[in-house]
């Protein structure tokens, strides 16, 4: 295939991926019952209707004028749906449903916007020599931004009462494997953080640049994620009432919000029940516990352990015992597939820990990618050589405030392209809604 034909094919692949990503976000809005579209399932975030417009307005604001010279046909909506809310410190939003446009208006905007963008993309893609020099990267940004929202929307809708949702297809639960919690020794070695470019065309967000090697001293890491069962023991031992286990601001947050157990749990008499995406079940003891970083840190401290650093996670997940070679995924070089872990929209809920032994790392550590993001104790900060993307300067830089922590790995609702080694997720430590679990280290 000639260079021109290859360039055209790459561009068509990008357009296909954008259409696939749209299908993912369309699918999630179909779960919302008509009467729930203006609900706000998470008090700190926008109402659901915002996200219906945001998916498209983001693409439009990114691409329309900059890449294609298109003129806005509804600038009011471009602005209204431009930005989400990062809930650090600020007060809760106070808007009412009446402040938002009717669903039909938003859908008309979305439809026209898609038609105009698709037409422009089709035109540009067959002419690789013309157009904006960053067009390919901008399309990757549009695709990954949308896929990230496919996940954040899922955990937002997780908070919506079951009767306000239309039940989607559910995978049967995987059988719990009997696993014994244990520590795995990881010898000292190096870890490469950030995106290593081989062809130069690989996409990564600004916070993944530049690749650099760090030395990691020997440490031991838990083979499996902390389960609901293990976390229940912490709770029963009074972990939520033991002030010495909590950082000062974490304790203040917990007291203020009245947090006494993981957000996905609910007490019913003497029983604990678990909020799945669609309905409740008895607390599944073998599933990884989903908690905030503050809760994860308190648990680790209770055991005299810590959360891993970002570099320790890398070493355990991608490193190898003999020497300096590293893997692209914990299991090796093969692309992610269902036998390796619970990711890429396979399920709405976690699997039991240890259910994917084929996804184990070279050291035998399991479930590092999939089944829940993993909290680290590393604050989200730029790598050496960081430069913001010119067409999305605030993507990462707005969060280098010392108030967010890095998460690695991926959840059942994380798209496969986001499972690359260098991808970094981040949240503030007092945000309990994320599909995020953890494991501890001794170092
Ligand atoms: Fe967004």
């Amino acid at each position: 295939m000639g260079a021109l034909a290859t360039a055209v094919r790459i561009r068509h692949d990008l357009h296909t991926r954008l259409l696939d990503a749209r299908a993912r976000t369309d699918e999630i809005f179909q779960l919302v019952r008509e009467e729930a579209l203006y609900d706000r399932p998470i008090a700190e975030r926008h109402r659901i209707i915002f996200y219906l417009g945001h998916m498209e307005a983001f693409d439009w604001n990114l691409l329309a004028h900059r890449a294609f010279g298109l003129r806005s046909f509804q600038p009011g909506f471009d602005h209204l749906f431009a930005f989400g809310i990062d809930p650090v410190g600020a007060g809760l939003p106070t808007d009412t449903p009446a402040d938002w446009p009717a669903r039909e208006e938003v859908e008309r905007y979305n439809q026209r916007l898609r038609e105009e963008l698709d037409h422009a993309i089709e035109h540009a893609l067959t002419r690789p020599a013309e157009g904006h020099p960053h067009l390919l990267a901008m399309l990757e940004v549009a695709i990954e931004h949308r896929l990230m929202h496919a996940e954040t929307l899922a955990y937002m809708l997780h908070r919506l009462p079951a009767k306000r949702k239309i039940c989607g297809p559910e995978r049967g639960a995987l059988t719990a494997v009997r696993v014994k919690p244990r520590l795995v020794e990881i010898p000292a070695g190096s870890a490469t953080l950030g995106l290593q470019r081989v062809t130069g065309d690989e996409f990564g967000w600004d916070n993944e640049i530049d690749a650099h090697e760090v030395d990691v001293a020997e440490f031991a890491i838990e083979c499996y994620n902390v389960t609901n069962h293990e976390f229940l023991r912490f709770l029963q031992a009074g972990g939520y009432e033991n002030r010495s286990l909590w950082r000062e601001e974490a304790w203040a947050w917990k007291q203020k919000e009245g947090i006494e157990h993981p957000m996905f749990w609910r007490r019913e008499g003497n029983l604990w029940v678990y909020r799945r995406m669609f309905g409740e079940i008895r607390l599944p003891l073998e599933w990884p516990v989903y908690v905030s970083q503050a809760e994860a840190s308190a648990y680790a401290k209770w055991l005299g352990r810590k959360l891993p650093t970002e570099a320790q996670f890398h070493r355990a997940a991608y490193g190898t015992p003999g020497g300096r070679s590293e893997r692209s995924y914990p299991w090796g070089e093969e692309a992610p597939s269902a036998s390796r872990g619970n990711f890429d929209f396979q399920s709405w809920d976690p699997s039991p820990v240890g259910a994917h032994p084929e996804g184990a790392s070279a050291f035998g550590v399991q479930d590092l990618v999939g089944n829940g993001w993993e909290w680290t104790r590393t604050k989200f900060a730029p790598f050496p050589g960081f430069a913001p993307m010119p067409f999305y300067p605030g993507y990462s830089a707005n969060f280098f405030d010392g108030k967010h922590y890095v998460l690695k790995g991926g959840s059942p609702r994380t798209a496969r392209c986001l499972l690359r080694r260098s991808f970094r997720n981040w949240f503030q430590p007092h945000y309990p809604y994320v599909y995020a679990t953890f494991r501890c280290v001794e170092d």
Side-chain angles (χ1 to χ4, degrees):
M1 199 184 280
L4 179 66
T6 307
V8 169
R9 185 183 51 76
I10 290 171
R11 285 158 168 76
H12 274 293
D13 286 352
L14 278 167
H15 196 196
T16 306
R17 284 175 53 212
L18 178 62
L19 299 179
D20 290 347
R22 281 184 192 158
R24 284 286 172 208
T25 47
D26 288 352
E27 163 191 78
I28 204 130
F29 288 111
Q30 281 162 14
L31 303 179
V32 182
R33 289 200 184 276
E34 192 62 36
E35 63 272 22
L37 191 66
Y38 291 76
D39 286 6
R40 190 199 304 279
I42 296 180
E44 299 96 322
R45 297 283 192 196
H46 276 308
R47 295 173 188 281
I48 299 168
I49 183 74
F50 165 81
Y51 296 93
L52 186 66
H54 176 63
M55 297 292 101
E56 310 309 323
F58 178 90
D59 292 356
W60 182 265
N61 291 333
L62 175 71
L63 293 161
H65 178 70
R66 193 180 280 112
F68 306 126
L70 296 173
R71 282 171 57 101
S72 180
F73 59 90
Q74 205 161 345
F77 275 21
D78 301 345
H79 185 72
L80 179 67
F81 293 114
F83 298 108
I85 307 174
D86 179 53
V88 170
L92 297 178
T94 55
D95 57 278
T96 68
D99 296 328
W100 295 92
R103 175 178 204 146
E104 299 70 45
E105 274 184 86
V106 182
E107 282 177 343
R108 264 201 306 279
Y109 168 78
N110 287 351
Q111 193 184 345
R112 171 156 176 200
L113 188 156
R114 284 186 181 185
E115 282 167 11
E116 290 209 18
L117 270 189
D118 285 344
H119 184 75
I121 292 171
E122 283 293 346
H123 183 82
L125 295 189
T126 53
R127 293 166 179 74
E130 303 166 20
H132 194 285
H134 294 311
L135 178 61
L136 300 193
M138 288 195 286
L139 285 171
E140 295 275 9
V141 162
I143 292 163
E144 293 205 356
H145 169 263
R146 187 178 283 271
L147 290 170
M148 283 187 249
H149 272 297
E151 175 168 359
T152 58
L153 278 164
Y155 71 69
M156 174 176 284
L157 296 190
H158 212 111
R159 313 308 316 159
L160 196 63
K163 60 181 187 304
R164 295 184 80 73
K165 283 181 279 204
I166 297 161
C167 185
E170 282 202 84
R171 188 181 72 171
L174 297 183
T175 324
V177 213
R178 268 197 106 68
V179 300
K180 228 175 123 100
R182 62 189 172 87
L183 287 166
V184 177
E185 301 281 341
I186 310 289
S190 65
T192 306
L193 275 58
L195 180 71
Q196 275 182 314
R197 288 208 156 106
V198 182
T199 66
D201 290 337
E202 295 93 345
F203 173 74
W205 293 90
D206 50 9
N207 64 64
E208 297 170 56
I209 314 295
D210 271 343
H212 59 290
E213 231 177 70
V214 291
D215 289 328
V216 185
E218 67 174 322
F219 65 103
I221 189 164
E222 289 175 333
C223 186
Y224 305 102
N225 289 127
V226 172
T227 61
N228 286 322
H229 187 213
E230 291 169 283
F231 203 82
L232 183 61
R233 286 211 294 266
F234 162 75
L235 183 146
Q236 287 169 339
Y240 276 84
E241 289 87 52
N242 184 346
R243 188 172 186 152
S244 69
L245 300 176
W246 300 75
R247 290 188 298 255
E248 201 177 310
E249 65 280 11
W251 181 260
W253 163 74
K254 187 183 74 64
Q255 294 301 94
K256 178 166 172 274
E257 302 295 325
I259 291 175
E260 296 172 343
H261 55 78
M263 186 58 78
F264 290 77
W265 299 11
R266 191 172 65 76
R267 197 195 286 272
E268 200 173 82
N270 290 329
L271 285 178
W272 285 101
V273 290
Y274 186 88
R275 296 172 164 168
R276 298 180 67 185
M277 181 60 149
F278 303 105
E280 296 182 334
I281 53 173
R282 252 179 98 156
L283 186 68
L285 296 174
E286 315 303 334
W287 291 10
V289 68
Y290 282 178
V291 283
S292 65
Q293 203 254 14
E295 291 160 294
S297 301
Y299 174 96
K301 193 164 182 191
W302 176 63
L303 286 182
R305 294 177 178 167
K306 294 175 189 163
L307 298 184
T309 63
E310 184 177 12
Q312 285 173 332
F313 181 95
H314 267 260
R315 176 87 183 115
Y318 307 110
T320 51
R324 303 181 75 79
S325 76
E326 288 172 89
R327 297 174 165 189
S328 297
Y329 298 100
W331 55 85
E333 299 307 310
E334 302 96 84
S337 61
S339 67
R340 306 289 191 183
N342 183 10
F343 41 60
D344 202 31
F345 309 105
Q346 279 175 50
S347 167
W348 292 103
D349 293 292
S351 310
V353 302
H356 296 91
E358 285 181 48
S361 79
F363 298 108
V365 183
Q366 299 210 20
D367 304 322
L368 286 153
V369 168
N371 219 27
W373 289 95
E374 301 206 9
W375 285 111
T376 73
R377 66 176 197 262
T378 299
K379 285 188 174 164
F380 184 54
F383 288 155
F386 170 84
M389 291 184 177
F391 45 83
Y392 194 174
Y395 173 69
S396 306
N398 288 356
F399 301 92
F400 295 147
D401 54 7
K403 294 178 179 161
H404 294 78
Y405 286 85
V406 173
L407 299 95
K408 295 290 297 183
S411 87
R413 306 305 299 174
T414 305
R416 101 184 15 220
C417 63
L418 307 178
L419 303 175
R420 63 175 173 272
R421 189 173 81 186
S422 56
F423 187 84
R424 308 166 83 200
N425 198 354
W426 68 92
F427 277 99
Q428 53 122 332
H430 308 149
Y431 196 62
Y433 311 108
V434 186
Y435 296 148
T437 183
F438 69 104
R439 68 185 79 218
C440 304
V441 297
E442 286 184 1
D443 60 8

